[in-house]
């Protein structure tokens, strides 16, 4: 009778699902996309970055991070911390002001928006009358001074943002004592800068864009000094004792002005054009820092000669006879200097310069000779070269971890040993429960190893594959070398370099075995490199082998790029991962799949033409298999030369419609009259048009033709020790899935260890499965007798997994874009399937096996499939019964690059690119969460709050 019962909810399973699964977007790794503003609080020792999308991010000591988002999503123009308070004000490009506070909640601090305010002028006044151009947060912590385009300065009260109209400083009042001839030549125009006197809070310095500078007495509401500049003003800076200030100008000059106690007209002490006499770019910001030895630090942005260096983004540091112009590869947004903020201190004594460029954060150590850069513990420029692929490895053994860090430390010898200078707040998150690596492949042929264990994504080691190949650029070239007499004294800093010497160097696939230390990387021009970890520098010859995937078939001609030329003779490699063999696929197409079995010493690789198996111990090609369909000419054009035309695409679409029409006619028969046929054809055309307009979830699924393009594209490769020939003997095997829905299975004979170098590895095709719908195969998995996925190579040998059950029957799971299907082994008979596209209208883009543990008990965990679809949803599907457990919306379906970049971890977390420079981290597990949890101790400010944090933000990297 059970089969007649209607399926219902199992309350026990529902409770267990709540203990296992929970979706959280936890932290953003990398560098903020399109930064637009920078702020710093010497009191809190926190840095704030605003972006064009309205985000605001606060950073302190490693692990101390806060994020807020303005509801308007407008560009953040300015950020100002309230002195000696845990508050800051942001100015957006819609002229609105926002007050943010750090508040404690549940034992941790949160960033909250408290108030918002838009300055309003008198009725009928133009928008420029209240367009804010400069903000001064006064040290009294009670008011903000707002300079505007009209030249008026408005005063608003904090924290209420109430406008104090009686304290407005009008441009008319400022001009009362200015000489008449100066007034006639120049109007005040907009307020460019507002600076509070360092020793007297009742005086502020007002700088107007036309060059007029005024010292204003707030108590008596009048101007005490007028400084008559002749050049367009860019910025102002007070010297520490308040006796002088510096103005910088549009013509590339800066001027030093004295501030006397009498009422005499001040004259400039010094006017310099540092890189004159030719026309120079504007100096947009300047610092004058005093030191104990008497020689000041003069630090300014811009000022380069326009003709020769107009395209450079530079900040110059001058200290006595020492002068360097730091040259950045992207536009400088803003910068600040970290110096002694103690009021009793006599000198500034600067220690570091922090520069926010458009594509990276650079910190310069001003205490160490040579002014080296400081290695940042966060805000890494992930996209220093464009990211082309990612690979995550969980639970790295300590020995491998230490060896990678050791190799990375040898690369970082040119960095400063200075502790990270932005160290505000306290990270109260527990230590990460395990060591995780995120590997990113880049367009310039490098692989970067990131510590992904906690909140800070920290670079451990960088591997370059360029040395194996001959390129236009010499890897020994030093971009920072300068001649002794070169002027200006430019020095390139930062890591952002978007230009690749050769696009063929791009890394497309990465596979790291954490137990053996073997690494395989594959690239855009069909190159597959197998590497091993070496703790010392070494010089050796890299063995070469070619894999002809077309197997000399006639009628095929590769139209794409050529293979990379390799270096002859020994090549010197740094300590770290060093290649010992190169397999070159022919034709040199993009490598689309890669698998490494370190126990059998085999590496498998696939392209759009076929796949092959290479024995990297004997350095011998085992076999190649061509998967190219006779009609698949697009696969021979190559990614760097192929432009798929609209005409061709339309032609293929109409061919599909025509084939469907013919097949439908055959099903109906040919006995109908001509009018009936015409009517049926018209109805078919109408149905076809309606079908094209349907939403994705309503789309019908039709079988693909074998003639569709790229059917031979190899999507996935998988090694397994399973029953392939009969149920009594298991053997090593290699499985390959293609874009045309074909699965190939090869039986492998791997000699025992004692004869491994004497006998060759042999392979023989044992199975070929063709899925009916010919949907692309995106994943292959073998389940053992306990319905558990087979362990990774060497995992059992290291006592980190149970031995697989070889007594019961094994099962094969084939995941296509449209469905999940379970077959029995060795007969390969269909046992179970879950249709995804036909039922839900979505397609599988990424799939992996993840282990989910219960947050209530350590005794229970289960393996499930984590699936990402083309709609951006994540689905968790049970094994082996293929039941949908839960679905979460994760990525916008329009974000194609974000979906393509997603990578899952072994324990239910994931990463995807939300911009070229940022990974969003998410968790599907209740047990494994990596989130910021930090505290900033400051006086509390009570007010009504609007919380901007996401739910659950007080949780941190923890194992509940």
């Amino acid at each position: 009778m059970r089969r007649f019962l209607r399926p219902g909810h199992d309350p026990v399973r529902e409770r267990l699902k709540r203990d296992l699964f929970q979706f959280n977007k936890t932290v953003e790794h990398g560098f903020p996309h399109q930064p637009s503003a920078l702020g710093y609080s010497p009191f809190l020792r926190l840095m704030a970055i605003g972006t064009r999308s309205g985000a605001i991010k606060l950073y302190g000591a490693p692990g101390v991070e806060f994020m807020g988002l303005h509801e308007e999503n407008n560009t953040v123009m300015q950020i100002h911390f309230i002195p000696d308070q845990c508050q800051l004000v942001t100015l957006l490009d819609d002229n609105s002001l926002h007050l943010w506070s750090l508040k404690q909640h549940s034992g941790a601090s949160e960033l909250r928006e408290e108030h918002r305010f838009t300055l309003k002028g008198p009725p009928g006044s133009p928008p420029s009358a209240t367009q804010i151009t400069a903000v001064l947060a006064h040290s009294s912590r009670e008011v903000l001074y707002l300079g505007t385009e009209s030249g008026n300065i408005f005063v608003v009260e904090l924290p209420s943002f109430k406008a104090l109209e009686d304290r407005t400083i009008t441009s008319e009042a400022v001009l009362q004592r200015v000489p008449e001839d100066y007034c006639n030549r120049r109007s005040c125009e907009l307020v460019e800068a507002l600076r509070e006197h360092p020793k007297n809070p009742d005086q502020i310095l007002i700088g107007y864009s036309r060059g007029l500078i005024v010292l204003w007495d707030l108590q008596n509401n009048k101007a005490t000094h007028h400084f008559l500049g002749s050049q367009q003003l860019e910025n102002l800076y007070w010297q520490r004792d308040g006796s002088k200030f510096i103005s910088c100008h549009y013509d590339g000059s800066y001027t030093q002005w004295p501030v006397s106690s009498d009422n005499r007209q001040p004259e400039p002490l010094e006017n310099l054009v540092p890189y004159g006499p030719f026309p120079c770019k504007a100096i947009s910001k300047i610092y004058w820092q005093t030191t104990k030895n008497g020689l000041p630090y003069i630090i300014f942005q811009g000022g380069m000669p326009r003709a020769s260096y107009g395209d450079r983004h530079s900040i110059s540091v001058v200290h006595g006879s020492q002068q360097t112009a730091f040259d950045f590869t992207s536009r400088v947004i803003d910068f600040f200097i970290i110096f002694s903020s103690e009021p009793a201190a006599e000198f500034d004594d600067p220690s570091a310069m922090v520069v926010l460029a458009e594509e990276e954060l650079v910190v310069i150590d001003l205490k160490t000779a040579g002014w080296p850069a400081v290695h940042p513990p966060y805000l890494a420029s992930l996209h220093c070269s464009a990211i082309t692929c990612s690979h995550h490895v969980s639970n790295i053994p300590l020995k491998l971890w230490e060896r990678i860090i050791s190799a990375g430390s040898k690369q970082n010898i040119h960095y400063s040993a200075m502790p990270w200078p932005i160290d505000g707040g306290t990270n109260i998150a527990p230590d990460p429960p395990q060591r995780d690596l995120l590997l990113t492949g880049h367009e310039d042929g490098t692989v970067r190893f990131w510590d992904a264990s906690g909140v800070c994504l920290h670079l451990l080691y960088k591997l370059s594959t360029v040395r194996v190949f001959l390129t236009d650029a010499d890897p020994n070239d030093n971009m920072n070398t300068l001649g002794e007499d070169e002027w200006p004294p430019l020095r390139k800093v930062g890591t952002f370099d978007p230009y690749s010497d050769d696009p063929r160097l791009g890394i497309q696939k990465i596979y790291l075995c954490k137990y053996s230390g073997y690494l395989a990387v594959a690239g855009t021009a069909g190159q597959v490199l197998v590497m091993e970890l070496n703790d010392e520098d070494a010089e050796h010859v890299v063995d070469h082998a070619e894999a002809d995937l077309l197997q000399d078939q006639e009628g095929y001609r590769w139209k794409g790029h050529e293979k990379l030329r390799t270096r002859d003779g020994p090549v010197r490699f740094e300590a770290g991962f060093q290649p010992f063999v190169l397999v070159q696929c022919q034709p040199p197409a993009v490598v689309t799949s890669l698998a490494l079995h370190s126990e059998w010493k085999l590496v498998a690789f696939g392209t759009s033409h076929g796949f092959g198996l290479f024995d990297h111990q004997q350095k011998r090609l085992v076999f190649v298999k061509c998967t190219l369909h006779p009609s698949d000419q697009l696969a021979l054009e190559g990614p760097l030369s192929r432009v798929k035309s609209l005409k061709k695409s339309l032609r293929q679409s109409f061919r599909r419609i025509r084939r469907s029409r013919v097949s439908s006619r055959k099903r109906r028969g040919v006995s109908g009259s001509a009018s009936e046929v015409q009517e049926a054809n018209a109805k078919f055309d109408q149905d076809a048009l309606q079908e094209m307009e349907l939403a994705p979830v309503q789309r019908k699924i039709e079988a693909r033709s074998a003639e569709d393009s790229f059917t031979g594209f190899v999507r996935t490769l998988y090694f397994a020790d399973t029953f392939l020939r009969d149920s009594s003997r298991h053997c090593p095997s290699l499985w390959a899935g293609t874009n045309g829905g074909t699965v190939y299975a090869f039986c492998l004979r791997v000699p025992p260890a004692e004869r491994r170098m004497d006998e060759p590895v042999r392979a023989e095709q044992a199975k070929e499965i063709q899925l009916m719908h010919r949907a692309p195969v995106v994943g292959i998995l073998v389940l053992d007798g306990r319905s558990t996925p087979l362990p990774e190579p060497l995992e059992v040998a290291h006592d980190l997994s149970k031995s697989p059950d070889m007594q019961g029957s094994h099962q094969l799971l084939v995941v296509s874009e449209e469905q999940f299907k379970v077959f029995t082994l060795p007969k390969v008979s269909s046992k179970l399937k879950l249709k995804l596209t036909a039922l839900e209208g979505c397609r599988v883009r990424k799939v992996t096996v993840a282990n989910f543990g219960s947050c209530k008990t350590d005794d229970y965990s289960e393996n499930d499939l984590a699936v990402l679809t083309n709609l951006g949803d994540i689905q968790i599907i049970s094994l082996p019964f293929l039941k949908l457990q839960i679905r979460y919306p994760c990525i916008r379906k329009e974000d194609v690059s974000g979906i393509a970049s997603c990578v899952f971890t072994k324990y239910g977390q994931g990463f995807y690119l939300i911009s070229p420079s940022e990974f969003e981290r998410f968790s599907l597990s209740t047990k494994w969460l990596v989130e910021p949890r930090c505290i900033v101790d400051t006086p509390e400010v009570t007010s009504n709050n609007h919380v901007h944090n996401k739910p659950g933000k007080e949780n941190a990297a923890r194992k509940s």
Side-chain angles (χ1 to χ4, degrees), residues 397 513-516 597-601 721 790-804 906:
C513 175
K514 62 186 178 183
Y515 303 112
S516 64
H597 201 293
S598 47
E599 190 173 358
W600 301 338
K601 304 291 192 298
D721 187 357
L790 295 181
E792 295 178 20
L794 296 174
E795 193 173 8
V796 175
H798 285 75
D799 296 326
L800 294 171
S801 174
K802 292 181 180 178
S803 296
K906 193 177 178 180

Side-chain angles (χ1 to χ4, degrees), residues 482-765:
L482 288 174
E484 289 184 7
D485 301 325
E486 184 167 339
W487 187 261
L490 287 165
R491 189 175 111 200
K492 187 176 180 291
V493 288
T495 58
F496 179 72
D497 183 9
Y499 307 108
S500 173
D501 296 329
D502 192 326
R504 295 174 298 173
L505 290 168
I507 305 297
Q508 297 296 331
K509 295 292 174 183
I510 307 170
Y511 197 104
L512 172 67
C513 175
K514 62 186 178 183
Y515 303 112
S516 64
Y518 282 115
L519 172 69
V521 297
T524 303
Q527 69 271 29
V528 180
L529 286 163
V530 186
M531 313 184 188
E532 58 185 343
L533 194 53
N534 190 343
D535 298 328
E536 302 295 333
D537 293 4
E539 189 172 357
H540 59 259
V541 175
V542 178
D543 291 296
H544 296 175
E546 283 212 352
D548 181 10
L549 295 173
L550 293 182
Q551 296 172 302
D552 300 324
Q553 294 192 32
E554 294 182 2
Y556 292 104
R557 187 171 63 85
W558 172 247
K559 303 174 188 175
H561 51 265
E562 296 179 354
K563 68 176 184 178
L564 284 160
R565 291 180 299 132
T566 55
R567 293 180 183 273
D568 296 326
V571 182
R572 184 160 188 81
F573 297 102
E574 297 176 339
F577 285 94
Q578 300 173 351
F580 61 89
V581 67
L582 165 67
V583 183
Q584 178 62 58
C585 299
Q586 288 289 9
V590 174
V591 177
T592 57
S593 54
L594 186 69
L596 177 72
H597 201 293
S598 47
E599 190 173 358
W600 301 338
K601 304 291 192 298
L602 299 174
V603 61
F605 48 88
T607 71
S608 52
H609 306 118
F611 60 97
L613 181 67
F614 186 80
D615 178 354
H616 65 77
Q617 184 166 0
Q618 290 190 10
K619 297 173 183 174
R620 172 184 165 271
L621 189 66
V622 179
F623 78 91
V624 291
K625 169 74 175 177
C626 180
T627 57
L628 204 62
H629 192 272
S631 66
D632 196 356
Q633 290 300 315
L634 277 179
L636 290 165
E637 293 183 12
L640 301 179
S641 63
R642 183 177 66 252
V643 178
K644 192 175 182 182
S645 67
L646 178 63
K647 187 187 292 184
K648 197 164 194 173
S649 179
L650 287 170
R651 193 186 305 128
Q652 289 176 344
S653 300
F654 281 114
R655 278 177 184 166
R656 287 197 191 96
I657 292 173
R658 203 175 296 123
R659 281 199 299 268
S660 302
R661 181 183 297 171
V662 170
S663 61
S664 61
R665 281 179 188 166
K666 286 179 179 177
R667 284 196 296 272
R668 287 196 304 267
V670 292
S671 57
S673 65
S675 61
E676 287 176 339
V677 171
Q678 286 178 357
E679 186 179 338
N681 285 347
K683 186 177 185 303
F684 174 81
D685 291 342
Q686 187 177 356
D687 292 344
L689 286 170
Q690 286 178 351
E691 187 177 326
M692 289 167 70
E693 293 169 2
L694 288 175
V697 292
Q698 300 169 303
R699 188 171 56 228
K700 284 200 291 186
I701 305 304
E702 289 191 3
R704 291 172 169 87
S705 165
E707 296 177 8
D708 287 354
S709 296
F710 292 108
T711 54
F713 186 118
V714 180
R715 292 286 290 267
T716 184
L717 291 163
Y718 178 70
F719 285 108
D721 187 357
T722 187
F723 300 93
L724 197 54
R725 293 192 178 280
D726 55 59
S727 55
S728 59
R729 288 178 298 170
H730 57 89
C731 66
S733 62
L734 172 66
W735 300 76
T738 73
N739 219 40
T742 307
V743 177
Y744 300 96
F746 279 76
C747 183
L748 308 178
R749 183 189 172 279
V750 182
E754 62 272 11
R755 300 197 303 275
R756 184 64 179 81
M757 289 300 293
D758 302 326
E759 299 179 12
V761 175
R762 301 191 183 279
E764 184 181 353
Q765 184 169 337

